[in-house]
Amino acid sequence: MVTRRTLLALAAGTTLVAGCRSPGGGSGGSLSVETSGATVVPGETATIDVQASLVGVLTWRLGDVPESWQITYENFEPQPTAVRESYPPQLVWDPAVDSVRGQLSVAVPPTAAPGTYALPVEAGSETTDERVVSEAIITVESAGTPTTDPSG
């Protein structure tokens, strides 16, 4: 037989569980960041997709990417509430957001050497020291040698 006391205990337990949050502040999730890779030839722009959860700050460091390569951010939804133009650059959401998506564009100069280049992207919280990193890999392929078209 279900008593009033049992129903109240079940209701209280359900309310407590429903209100539980992870240390990062989201319901049932945790701080995370994922990046895509890109393959380009010298002179092209590599587009890196970025997705993060429970994030307050997003940064990127050069890693293997040469200093002369220009990196810009674009299309972040929601847009950051502040941008700190320092090194490393910081996109800030205050308060932290449950989910954010956007892109980093990396201008690969025409003189870039073929190879793979790591671009570390870090997500964090303004209120804790917790940080997570995802490395976007940019592969620069040789532009190749032009082929002669026998038809013309």
Side-chain angles (χ1 to χ4, degrees), residues 15-152:
T15 302
L16 286 173
V17 170
C20 284
R21 304 188 98 182
S22 67
S27 57
S30 62
L31 178 66
S32 69
V33 64
E34 293 179 24
T35 57
S36 68
T39 300
V40 295
V41 296
E44 291 184 340
T45 298
T47 301
I48 305 298
D49 292 319
V50 179
Q51 180 176 337
S53 298
L54 302 176
V55 65
V57 179
L58 191 71
T59 64
W60 55 94
R61 298 180 187 279
L62 293 177
D64 298 335
V65 174
E67 256 183 77
S68 61
W69 295 15
Q70 184 173 351
I71 303 170
T72 56
Y73 66 93
E74 46 192 45
N75 305 320
F76 274 88
E77 284 296 327
Q79 292 188 0
T81 54
V83 177
R84 297 181 186 140
E85 299 289 340
S86 58
Y87 183 79
Q90 296 181 336
L91 305 180
V92 179
W93 288 269
D94 187 19
V97 292
D98 287 337
S99 178
V100 64
R101 290 177 183 252
Q103 286 100 24
L104 296 175
S105 291
V106 182
V108 179
T111 57
T116 56
Y117 300 85
L119 177 67
V121 178
E122 179 179 286
S125 168
E126 284 281 291
T127 58
T128 69
D129 290 336
E130 183 181 9
R131 300 283 185 263
V132 293
V133 177
S134 177
E135 278 195 343
I137 302 299
I138 301 166
T139 303
V140 178
E141 294 183 335
S142 175
T145 56
T147 58
T148 305
D149 184 359
S151 65

